[in-house]
Amino acid sequence: MTRWLNPEEQRTWRAFLFASRAMLETLDRELQRDSGMPHAYYEILVRLSEAPDRSMRMSDLADSLASSRSRISHAVTRLTEQGWVRREDCPTDRRGQLAVLTERGYEVLAAAAPRHVDGVRAHLFDQLTPEQLTQLGAISSRLLDHLDPEHELR
């Protein structure tokens, strides 16, 4: 039997959905305006910047972003056209390819990051009390433990 949401649960669920969507859309809009890239491309550049040798197998990059391989391949093609990423053959697997952050891509990321962090701070952290931030961290961790028990998305 379905356990329907009561009115308070429905309000909480919708607030969570709308706040999450509004946050991501706002950050995406700001990145587009300030840096000329969507949030998805920013996340790819961040992942590559944090990887050893600023390089990741395309399949690992897709997995780390919980994205399809075809979507990542398309995005990396666009980033390659910008000169921000290059593709290389994987030395350990002839079928695999690496996405490698170029020096230009790192410069673009370094230029975009301060404004993006300012947006994250303004739209999330500055809106909550220290106690609420602690609660948000605990709630987010609890949900991730439930939804991603194998830690594939972290």
Side-chain angles (χ1 to χ4, degrees):
M1 175 174 210
T2 300
R3 290 179 37 215
W4 296 105
L5 302 181
N6 67 40
E8 180 61 27
E9 291 169 333
Q10 187 68 261
R11 279 191 295 279
T12 300
W13 171 239
R14 288 185 178 169
F16 171 77
L17 283 180
F18 296 146
S20 298
R21 186 176 304 138
M23 177 71 68
L24 294 175
E25 288 174 0
T26 298
L27 293 172
D28 188 66
R29 194 171 43 255
E30 290 175 352
L31 270 168
Q32 288 277 12
R33 180 195 67 214
D34 297 340
S35 304
M37 78 176 87
H39 195 259
Y41 290 7
Y42 179 85
E43 284 298 319
I44 290 170
L45 298 180
V46 167
R47 297 297 167 105
L48 292 174
S49 76
E50 295 173 343
D53 300 321
R54 297 183 184 164
S55 171
M56 289 181 78
R57 286 179 56 97
M58 294 285 288
S59 57
D60 293 340
L61 180 60
D63 291 346
S64 76
L65 294 166
S67 186
S68 71
R69 282 154 176 71
S70 63
R71 181 169 288 175
I72 291 299
S73 181
H74 177 75
V76 168
T77 296
R78 297 288 169 254
L79 293 168
T80 299
E81 291 168 359
Q82 295 289 327
W84 300 347
V85 173
R86 71 176 181 274
R87 291 178 190 247
E88 293 180 0
D89 291 331
C90 181
T92 60
D93 178 1
R94 291 186 325 210
R95 296 174 299 149
Q97 281 202 315
L98 301 174
V100 182
L101 184 64
T102 65
E103 191 58 39
R104 176 72 185 126
Y106 185 79
E107 291 168 0
V108 167
L109 176 61
R115 288 187 124 172
H116 178 63
V117 171
D118 287 346
V120 170
R121 180 165 300 288
H123 304 309
L124 179 63
F125 293 101
D126 292 349
Q127 301 306 312
L128 302 174
T129 66
E131 295 80 18
Q132 290 170 324
L133 288 173
T134 299
Q135 292 170 345
L136 179 61
I139 291 166
S140 297
S141 293
R142 173 76 181 256
L143 293 173
L144 275 172
D145 287 344
H146 167 71
L147 298 168
D148 183 31
E150 302 300 319
H151 298 266
E152 294 174 358
L153 302 177
R154 298 179 241 180

